Amino acid sequence: MRVDRILALTLIVATIVAAATAWWTGDRDRGMPAADLSEPGEAEIAMIDVYGAISDAKPGEDVFGSSGAGAIRLIRAIREAEADGVKALLMRINSPGGTAAASQMVYNELMRVRKAGKIKVVTTMGDMAASGGYYIAAASDHIVANPATTTGSIGVILHLQNVEKLFDKIGVDTTTIKSGPRKDILSPFRPMAPDERTLLQGLVDDTYRQFLEAIVAGRKMPVEKLRPLADGRVFTGEQALKVGLVDSLGNYEDAILKTASLTGIKGKPKVRNYTSESLFEGLFPKLESKLSSLLGASAGASWNKLPLTLLE
């Protein structure tokens, strides 16, 4: 037992040192040579990182306060940048998607800023900007993708499991006490009735309609052109450019130059990352991951509570 404690303590210390080193050496703002970093109130371009699964998780919901691409955190960063008087928001998206409502929240916030007319909104896509990631990107004045970016995946999915036969096999019985016939509509312990499937299909279809309407409004693309592309398929950046889902190809530095051009910024623009991690924010998620593996916990357990998603 004493040896285990020593090993655990050694791992924790090593994780702290590694995380602190990465934070101190600039891991917070990787890929920034095309611009001058600025202090609050001096930035011309606000960079907003949308990394990982998008959800409505609030800061502090995880064990050590990491929130990833939490809608609340992103909206807070957007409003802070707006208050500082920036000329543009550069959304740096590397996300496979997320929940429908959280993606919609961020999209609506960006559309509000865009419609006000004082701030340009530009997206630069990384490895992936799919489903909910594309939902957010659709609110941009201009989208830049790498040729090999994975994007698209426009659609909504609802996963359900039925473990009734498994429970019968191992001798587990379940009892449900409910206030109404639809209260356990997502139950994995019984077959789904045809009328329940119809209700859930209507839920998915309505969310999908909202997704399409958001893209039509943001991209100014006729729904007749969009619908054949919105069957859940994914595209490379090059393919997305050909069908009108993105506007140009390039990397992060190209996106900065495009943003500067759209806003009339001369010379090297001043950029501030409004989602840059503090030492503790950068440190604790890494420590949480290590501790979870030690304790045998599932790092993604909370995600299973969110059945209706744009993520697949």
Side-chain angles (χ1 to χ4, degrees):
M1 180 65 70
R2 186 175 180 182
V3 174
D4 290 342
R5 290 179 179 177
I6 293 174
L7 289 174
L9 180 60
T10 301
L11 179 59
I12 291 171
V13 171
T15 303
I16 291 173
V17 172
T21 301
W23 179 85
W24 185 260
T25 54
D27 183 59
R28 300 162 297 157
D29 295 303
R30 50 199 177 276
M32 295 293 290
D36 292 328
L37 298 179
S38 69
E39 296 300 319
E42 298 178 352
E44 296 171 300
I45 298 175
M47 183 169 64
I48 310 289
D49 284 339
V50 185
Y51 277 33
I54 304 158
S55 74
D56 192 21
K58 62 183 179 181
E61 195 165 62
D62 291 338
V63 176
F64 290 105
S66 77
S67 56
I72 293 173
R73 184 182 186 188
L74 294 173
I75 291 172
R76 183 180 298 147
I78 291 167
R79 294 190 178 183
E80 183 183 351
E82 187 180 20
D84 281 346
V86 299
K87 295 182 179 180
L89 299 175
L90 179 57
M91 308 299 295
R92 187 164 61 168
I93 300 178
N94 192 355
S95 172
T99 64
S103 303
Q104 187 178 65
M105 287 166 62
V106 180
Y107 167 90
N108 287 339
E109 185 70 9
L110 291 175
M111 288 297 287
R112 179 191 64 79
V113 171
R114 180 177 163 187
K115 289 177 180 178
K118 297 180 180 179
I119 298 175
K120 292 292 184 181
V121 180
V122 178
T123 285
T124 174
M125 294 179 168
D127 293 322
M128 181 176 292
S131 205
Y134 187 78
Y135 201 142
I136 292 175
S140 304
D141 293 288
H142 190 95
I143 300 175
V144 181
N146 286 282
T149 292
T150 300
T151 189
S153 189
I154 300 168
V156 181
I157 189 166
L158 177 60
H159 280 302
L160 301 171
Q161 294 80 34
N162 187 310
V163 298
E164 184 181 20
K165 292 182 179 179
L166 173 63
F167 275 25
D168 287 344
K169 186 174 183 179
I170 61 177
V172 176
D173 191 21
T174 62
T175 301
T176 301
I177 301 171
K178 53 189 178 180
S179 60
R182 302 288 178 259
K183 188 58 181 174
D184 67 338
I185 193 171
L186 299 179
S187 173
F189 307 124
R190 64 172 179 80
M192 181 181 295
D195 62 328
E196 292 175 327
R197 179 177 292 275
T198 300
L199 287 172
L200 292 175
Q201 186 64 56
L203 182 69
V204 169
D205 290 346
D206 192 59
T207 307
Y208 176 64
R209 174 190 58 78
Q210 294 174 39
F211 194 174
L212 293 187
E213 289 178 354
I215 297 173
V216 168
R219 297 292 298 162
K220 302 188 185 306
M221 176 185 290
V223 70
E224 296 78 13
K225 180 180 178 181
L226 173 61
R227 194 175 293 277
L229 309 174
D231 58 0
R233 74 184 70 183
V234 294
F235 302 86
T236 66
E238 283 193 346
Q239 292 172 331
L241 178 64
K242 291 178 181 178
V243 297
L245 293 178
V246 305
D247 299 298
S248 63
L249 299 178
N251 57 25
Y252 167 72
E253 295 187 7
D254 297 321
I256 288 182
L257 295 176
K258 182 62 182 180
T259 305
S261 174
L262 288 173
T263 54
I265 298 172
K266 305 298 182 182
K268 189 176 287 189
K270 295 179 180 179
V271 177
R272 180 189 170 203
N273 189 333
Y274 279 74
T275 48
S276 178
E277 294 176 341
S278 68
L279 173 61
F280 293 103
E281 289 175 320
L283 169 64
F284 285 157
K286 297 177 177 66
L287 183 59
E288 178 187 358
S289 176
K290 296 297 182 183
L291 288 176
S292 294
S293 63
L294 279 174
L295 298 173
S298 172
S302 62
W303 186 254
N304 295 329
K305 300 175 184 177
L306 306 168
L308 182 61
T309 74
L310 302 173
L311 172 71
E312 178 66 358

